[in-house]
């Protein structure tokens, strides 16, 4: 399971020119599910995302998590994060989980974040989405479970 975290001052995701999810300060999480991922991994990843300290404290050090800065979390499914780029000039997506498993674990992951107290707007699983963001820092972190 892969989560690409981007610290943002704002982010949104649109489908067919309609915004379906948006946040102000917080995290944009691009999420990929791989074969062998399960609910235990999704729960652990949600806890790590919520607790990951990538926001600056009063001394300018990355020492605060998204909750401590009253931030939000926008989650967008992105199977291309699981691409195998080890050979050739075209990525292979055989390392991404099947859509049925992916959607189930994507929803479970979002549910775990909601249980932690976040509203969690999302994209639309499997849709052609347009993501807009203002990366704050820039700060982008790749978490793998």
């Amino acid at each position: 399971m892969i989560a690409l975290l981007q610290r943002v001052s704002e982010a949104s995701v649109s489908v067919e020119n309609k915004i379906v999810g948006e946040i102000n300060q917080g995290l944009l999480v691009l999420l990929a599910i791989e074969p062998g991922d399960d609910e235990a991994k999704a729960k652990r990843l949600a806890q790590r995302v919520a607790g990951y300290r990538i926001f600056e404290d009063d001394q300018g050090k990355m020492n605060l998590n998204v909750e401590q800065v009253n931030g939000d979390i926008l989650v967008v499914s992105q199977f291309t994060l699981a691409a195998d780029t080890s050979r050739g000039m075209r990525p292979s997506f055989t390392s991404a989980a099947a859509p049925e498993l992916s959607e189930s674990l994507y929803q479970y992951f979002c549910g775990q974040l909601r249980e932690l107290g976040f509203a969690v707007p999302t994209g639309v699983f499997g849709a052609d989405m347009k993501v807009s963001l203002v990366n704050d820092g820039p700060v982008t972190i790749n978490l793998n479970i």
Side-chain angles (χ1 to χ4, degrees), residues 83-102:
D84 179 356
T85 59
S86 61
R87 295 183 308 192
M89 299 303 289
R90 183 174 176 266
S92 169
F93 299 107
T94 58
S95 54
E100 300 78 27
L101 174 63
S102 293

Side-chain angles (χ1 to χ4, degrees), residues 55-64 68-69:
F55 293 88
E56 294 179 355
D57 63 15
D58 292 339
Q59 285 76 45
K61 295 186 184 211
M62 286 191 208
N63 204 25
L64 302 175
Q68 291 170 313
V69 297

Side-chain angles (χ1 to χ4, degrees), residues 11-23:
S12 66
V13 59
S14 300
V15 176
E16 297 179 358
N17 296 317
K18 295 178 192 159
I19 294 176
V20 296
E22 63 184 327
I23 62 170

Side-chain angles (χ1 to χ4, degrees), residues 1-138:
M1 190 167 288
I2 304 166
L4 187 71
L5 310 181
Q6 295 187 69
R7 186 177 77 182
V8 299
S9 54
E10 62 185 61
S12 66
V13 59
S14 300
V15 176
E16 297 179 358
N17 296 317
K18 295 178 192 159
I19 294 176
V20 296
E22 63 184 327
I23 62 170
N24 290 310
Q25 179 186 27
L27 296 173
L28 168 62
V29 178
L30 304 175
L31 183 69
I33 311 298
E34 300 171 294
D37 287 344
D38 57 22
E39 288 184 354
K41 285 183 178 181
K43 182 175 184 173
R44 175 73 180 123
L45 185 58
Q47 291 169 338
R48 287 197 71 200
V49 166
Y52 218 68
R53 299 180 306 163
I54 61 173
F55 293 88
E56 294 179 355
D57 63 15
D58 292 339
Q59 285 76 45
K61 295 186 184 211
M62 286 191 208
N63 204 25
L64 302 175
N65 64 37
V66 66
E67 181 181 22
Q68 291 170 313
V69 297
N70 295 312
D72 297 312
I73 302 174
L74 172 63
V75 181
V76 176
S77 62
Q78 188 168 357
F79 77 95
T80 59
L81 284 175
D84 179 356
T85 59
S86 61
R87 295 183 308 192
M89 299 303 289
R90 183 174 176 266
S92 169
F93 299 107
T94 58
S95 54
E100 300 78 27
L101 174 63
S102 293
E103 183 170 15
S104 173
L105 288 177
Y106 168 75
Q107 296 297 342
Y108 184 82
F109 173 82
C110 293
Q112 291 300 300
L113 289 173
R114 289 181 182 111
E115 284 187 19
L116 293 170
F118 297 97
V120 192
T122 65
V124 176
F125 185 88
D128 179 19
M129 295 176 276
K130 308 297 182 212
V131 179
S132 298
L133 66 133
V134 177
N135 192 317
D136 180 17

